[in-house]
Amino acid sequence: GDSVTQMEGPVTLSEEAFLTINCTYTATGYPSLFWYVQYPGEGLQLLLKATKADDKGSNKGFEATYRKETTSFHLEKGSVQVSDSAVYFCALSLSSNTGKLIFGQGTTLQVKP
Amino acid sequence: EAGVTQFPSHSVIEKGQTVTLRCDPISGHDNLYWYRRVMGKEIKFLLHFVKESKQDESGMPNNRFLAERTGGTYSTLKVQPAELEDSGVYFCASSQTRNTEAFFGQGTRLTVV
C-alpha cells in the first residue's frame, strides 16, 4: 500500500550543524509531497511542499527536492538553530485532496546550543 | 483570525468510559479532517467531512468511534466505550477547499487507563 518512511530519531545536533532527515515513499500515481513540523506545545504546521518531480520546496532555510527516480523527499537545512527543535513529519497526498495525507512516523530533532 | 481549535487539550479516562473530542475549524472552511497518532507512530487519517457530510471515513478504526459535524461548523469525535489502544493524540485539520492547504489544530492527547 501507499506509505511514507522516515529515518528514526531522535536526531541530536549542535547549533549550526547541517541537517538531513531522510524520507522515502511508496505510492501509486503521482503524489504531492509535504513536510510538516510540530513545535513543542503547538499544532502541525506545513513547512514546505512539492507537487511534481524535480520540484524543490523551501521555507525558513529548509529545502526538499521531489525525486521520483529514488522516491525520496529528504529534508535539509544548512545551519540549524535551537529554535528548529521540533518533530518533523514527511507526508504525501494521492489526489487533489491535499487534506487527506499519509504521514511518516515523525523524526524528533533536538538542537543543542 | 483564529486557527483550528481543539478541546480538550488533554483527557484521561478509564477504560469503558466515553469521551467526546471537539474541533472548531477555521471559519469558512468546508473541509474538516480528523487524524490520530498512536504511541509515537505515524499520524493516520480517520475521516473527512465536507460541510456536514462524511466524504471519506475509510480510516475510522471501528464502530466505537463516531464523528459528527452538525450544521457544518464544529465537529465532535466520540469514543464509546474507550479502550486502552485508543490512547494517542487526535488531530483535527480544516481547509477551504479540497486542494488548498489544510491547517491543523494542536491536538487532543487522550489517555485511556
Side-chain angles (χ1 to χ4, degrees), chain A residues 17-56:
Chain A
F18 184 85
L19 168 71
T20 299
I21 300 178
N22 290 337
C23 171
T24 57
Y25 67 90
T26 302
T28 53
Y30 302 96
S32 294
L33 302 174
F34 306 82
W35 277 100
Y36 280 82
V37 58
Q38 186 180 22
Y39 297 104
E42 299 184 14
L44 289 166
Q45 300 175 26
L46 178 62
L47 180 59
L48 54 84
K49 67 179 182 182
T51 57
K52 61 184 188 296
D54 299 325
D55 268 2
K56 178 185 284 188

Side-chain angles (χ1 to χ4, degrees), chain A:
Chain A
D2 305 305
S3 65
V4 174
T5 302
Q6 290 179 235
M7 62 186 290
E8 290 197 19
V11 174
T12 303
L13 296 173
S14 297
E15 209 166 18
E16 299 184 1
F18 184 85
L19 168 71
T20 299
I21 300 178
N22 290 337
C23 171
T24 57
Y25 67 90
T26 302
T28 53
Y30 302 96
S32 294
L33 302 174
F34 306 82
W35 277 100
Y36 280 82
V37 58
Q38 186 180 22
Y39 297 104
E42 299 184 14
L44 289 166
Q45 300 175 26
L46 178 62
L47 180 59
L48 54 84
K49 67 179 182 182
T51 57
K52 61 184 188 296
D54 299 325
D55 268 2
K56 178 185 284 188
S58 61
N59 186 24
K60 299 182 180 180
F62 291 90
E63 291 184 340
T65 301
Y66 189 141
R67 302 284 188 201
K68 189 170 183 294
E69 64 276 12
T70 54
T71 62
S72 65
F73 193 55
H74 305 321
L75 183 68
E76 297 182 335
K77 186 175 185 182
S79 176
V80 293
Q81 305 301 312
V82 172
S83 57
D84 293 327
S85 298
V87 183
Y88 292 81
F89 294 91
C90 185
L92 67 83
S93 69
L94 291 170
S95 65
S96 61
N97 187 351
T98 54
K100 184 178 181 182
L101 297 156
I102 296 171
F103 284 91
Q105 291 179 296
T107 302
T108 300
L109 170 66
Q110 184 178 20
V111 180
K112 296 187 174 181

